[in-house]
Amino acid sequence: MMAASSTMSKESASYDMAEFDQSAIFLYLEDGHDQEQQRQTLNIFPSQPMHVAEPIPAKGVSMGMVTASMLPNGNSSSPKRQEQGGQHRSVAAPAGPVVPLPSNNLAKDNRNSLTKKEETSGGKGAASAGIVQERVKDPKTLRRLAQNREAARKSRLRKKAYIQQLETSRIRLSQLEQQVQVARVQGVFLGTGEQPGFSSAPSPGNNNAAVFDVEYGRWVEEHSKLMFQLRAALSEHLADEQLQSFVNGGMAQHEELLNLKGAMARADVFHLLSGVWVSPAERCFLWLGGFRPSEVIKVMLKHVEPLSEGQILGIYQLQQLVQEREEALNHSMEATQQNISDIVAAPDVAPATFMGHMSLAMNKVAAMESFVMQADGLRQQTLHKLHHILTTRQAARCLLAIADYFHRLRALSTLWVARPRQDDGPGLQ
């Protein structure tokens, strides 16, 4: 055995370690180290006998020869490795010729194969890049790419122009809506395109009254919808900030109605004073072409309680002011009506002076128009002061009370017209 060891040591010493493939050596050592750890781990708990399978060496190569050849001096690096090496040497391979370890030619062959693989992969990449480059350099491909870029640019320009056209149309539509709203407020829609003047009575060709009636019906419908939303908001106990938007909307609608009536007063004050644009029950309570402000205050007081002392004092002062203004307008209106009656009833009016008398009467009618405008101003002032005195929730209930008041008057008119009539008596033929 000693002779065999010395012989293997000499043979291992004759090999130069630099000629081995370092990567192959590293993998072999790593494999042997893992197997050694596995055997040590299995031997920690020797409660049951375990059979450890020895690694199978290559044909004609003993493990002792391989282990000895891996070290420069033929010895292991530790006692454990030395003992394991002895065990490997004791389990010798069958007798036969000793196969030498891989030589320098094997390492060179490995390196050559790796180099060929790299060259092959590099050649494939270069070939694919060359194909792409040839395709790019193809005139037909270049022309197609240029056409695609041009089409994409034109598409972006068309999209941008379309968006600008939509934005311009939206702005124009908004401007038209504002112009229509201003025209409604100023009363331009009542004429034929020019600022409407005063007409003493509607002629068959003058549709001022008909247009006003249609616009008032539209206002009643929109105001009813808003009051329905306001009632729902109050029942849901929304915050004051949310209720304020509904209150502001209701005030804006009352402003719109007053502007509409002002335009109608300038066009045909008699139609506005007659009240034919409202229901018969509303007509009974009409005052100078609209509701009486003092009556609205009385209706409001029944729905906004409780009120603080400051609110009660402010509402009382407002009521006194409104009643004084109403009495003043009533006296002025009665005086104007009396003057018109006196002018029209003047005796012995000669044909030469007839137009003069009519001119005086027309001037008095123009004064009546100013009274209607003052009454609308008093209505507007009353609503604004009530809105200032009351809280947001109280103002919302105030608007609802006013809307319900006129809605019930319209319902009363409908029910009265549709009431069942008795048979005419003997005296009514």
Side-chain angles (χ1 to χ4, degrees):
M1 294 296 292
M2 295 296 292
S5 299
S6 61
T7 303
M8 286 187 291
S9 299
K10 288 179 182 181
E11 290 177 357
S12 62
S14 63
Y15 289 98
D16 188 5
M17 292 298 294
E19 295 178 356
F20 287 102
D21 191 354
Q22 295 181 2
S23 60
I25 296 173
F26 178 76
L27 292 173
Y28 190 83
L29 289 176
E30 189 73 15
D31 188 19
H33 182 63
D34 294 338
Q35 293 176 0
E36 178 185 355
Q37 288 183 351
Q38 183 178 5
R39 286 193 298 271
Q40 291 178 1
T41 305
L42 293 174
N43 293 329
I44 291 175
F45 304 98
S47 59
Q48 295 179 357
M50 292 180 291
H51 175 70
V52 179
E54 294 293 338
I56 301 174
K59 292 183 179 180
V61 181
S62 63
M63 292 301 297
M65 294 172 62
V66 175
T67 307
S69 62
M70 299 299 292
L71 299 175
N73 54 1
N75 297 326
S76 60
S77 59
S78 63
K80 289 182 179 181
R81 287 184 177 270
Q82 195 171 17
E83 181 180 357
Q84 291 174 2
Q87 292 177 359
H88 289 303
R89 285 193 296 268
S90 61
V91 183
V98 178
V99 179
L101 289 175
S103 61
N104 192 15
N105 295 328
L106 182 58
K108 289 181 179 180
D109 293 340
N110 294 333
R111 284 193 292 271
N112 292 334
S113 62
L114 293 175
T115 306
K116 288 181 180 179
K117 290 181 180 179
E118 293 177 357
E119 290 178 355
T120 304
S121 60
K124 290 181 180 179
S128 59
I131 293 172
V132 173
Q133 189 173 5
E134 288 178 0
R135 289 181 180 176
V136 172
K137 289 182 179 180
D138 186 15
K140 186 181 294 185
T141 304
L142 292 175
R143 185 168 56 255
R144 189 181 298 110
L145 292 175
Q147 292 175 357
N148 292 340
R149 287 194 296 269
E150 183 66 18
R153 187 183 67 84
K154 290 182 179 180
S155 178
R156 288 193 297 269
L157 291 177
R158 285 195 301 269
K159 182 179 179 181
K160 185 177 180 181
Y162 180 69
I163 293 174
Q164 290 178 355
Q165 183 180 2
L166 288 178
E167 185 66 20
T168 304
S169 301
R170 186 188 65 81
I171 295 173
R172 179 59 181 165
L173 180 60
S174 178
Q175 292 176 354
L176 289 175
E177 290 178 352
Q178 292 178 0
Q179 291 176 4
V180 170
Q181 185 66 24
V182 171
R184 284 176 176 175
V185 171
Q186 294 178 353
V188 177
F189 67 96
L190 297 175
T192 59
E194 299 178 355
Q195 183 69 25
F198 173 78
S199 60
S200 60
S203 61
N206 191 356
N207 60 350
N208 296 340
V211 174
F212 175 78
D213 294 346
V214 172
E215 290 295 321
Y216 177 73
R218 178 191 60 81
W219 181 89
V220 171
E221 183 179 357
E222 293 181 355
H223 189 67
S224 300
K225 291 179 181 179
L226 181 61
M227 293 299 102
F228 178 79
Q229 296 174 359
L230 180 58
R231 192 185 311 276
L234 281 174
S235 62
E236 293 175 0
H237 302 285
L238 297 181
D240 291 345
E241 292 78 7
Q242 296 175 328
L243 286 177
Q244 187 64 42
S245 62
F246 292 103
V247 174
N248 293 337
M251 295 296 294
Q253 285 187 346
H254 279 286
E255 293 281 347
E256 180 185 357
L257 178 60
L258 293 176
N259 293 329
L260 182 65
K261 289 171 60 181
M264 188 61 209
R266 290 188 295 270
D268 187 0
V269 68
F270 290 118
H271 181 76
L272 198 63
L273 289 173
S274 64
V276 294
W277 46 279
V278 294
S279 63
E282 291 177 283
R283 200 177 307 157
C284 293
F285 299 92
L286 203 64
W287 177 75
L288 294 180
F291 62 84
R292 188 181 293 270
S294 60
E295 187 68 23
V296 167
I297 294 176
K298 293 179 182 178
V299 171
M300 178 270 304
L301 288 174
K302 300 177 182 179
H303 295 82
V304 298
E305 295 178 354
L307 296 171
S308 63
E309 294 182 359
Q311 289 177 332
I312 294 175
L313 179 61
I315 292 174
Y316 176 76
Q317 293 176 353
L318 176 62
Q319 192 172 14
Q320 293 295 325
L321 177 63
V322 166
Q323 288 178 353
E324 292 176 1
R325 294 284 303 276
E326 288 177 357
E327 292 177 1
L329 286 173
N330 285 333
H331 289 306
S332 300
M333 192 66 178
E334 290 176 358
T336 302
Q337 290 175 349
Q338 186 64 39
N339 292 331
I340 294 174
S341 177
D342 293 340
I343 293 172
V344 172
D348 300 332
V349 177
T353 60
F354 178 77
M355 292 305 299
H357 280 80
M358 291 299 101
S359 177
L360 291 176
M362 290 175 63
N363 290 333
K364 297 300 180 180
V365 172
M368 294 173 60
E369 176 185 344
S370 67
F371 296 150
V372 173
M373 300 291 289
Q374 292 179 27
D376 284 341
L378 182 60
R379 296 183 188 98
Q380 183 180 15
Q381 183 181 4
T382 302
L383 290 176
H384 280 285
K385 286 191 175 181
L386 286 175
H387 185 206
H388 180 72
I389 294 173
L390 301 175
T391 63
T392 302
R393 197 166 296 275
Q394 289 174 343
R397 290 200 293 266
C398 174
L399 290 176
L400 282 177
I402 297 173
D404 290 343
Y405 175 72
F406 290 106
H407 175 72
R408 291 169 184 174
L409 287 177
R410 290 190 291 269
L412 177 61
S413 299
T414 304
L415 293 174
W416 174 255
V417 172
R419 74 189 187 279
R421 292 179 174 83
Q422 297 178 356
D423 295 335
D424 296 336
L428 297 176
Q429 294 289 332

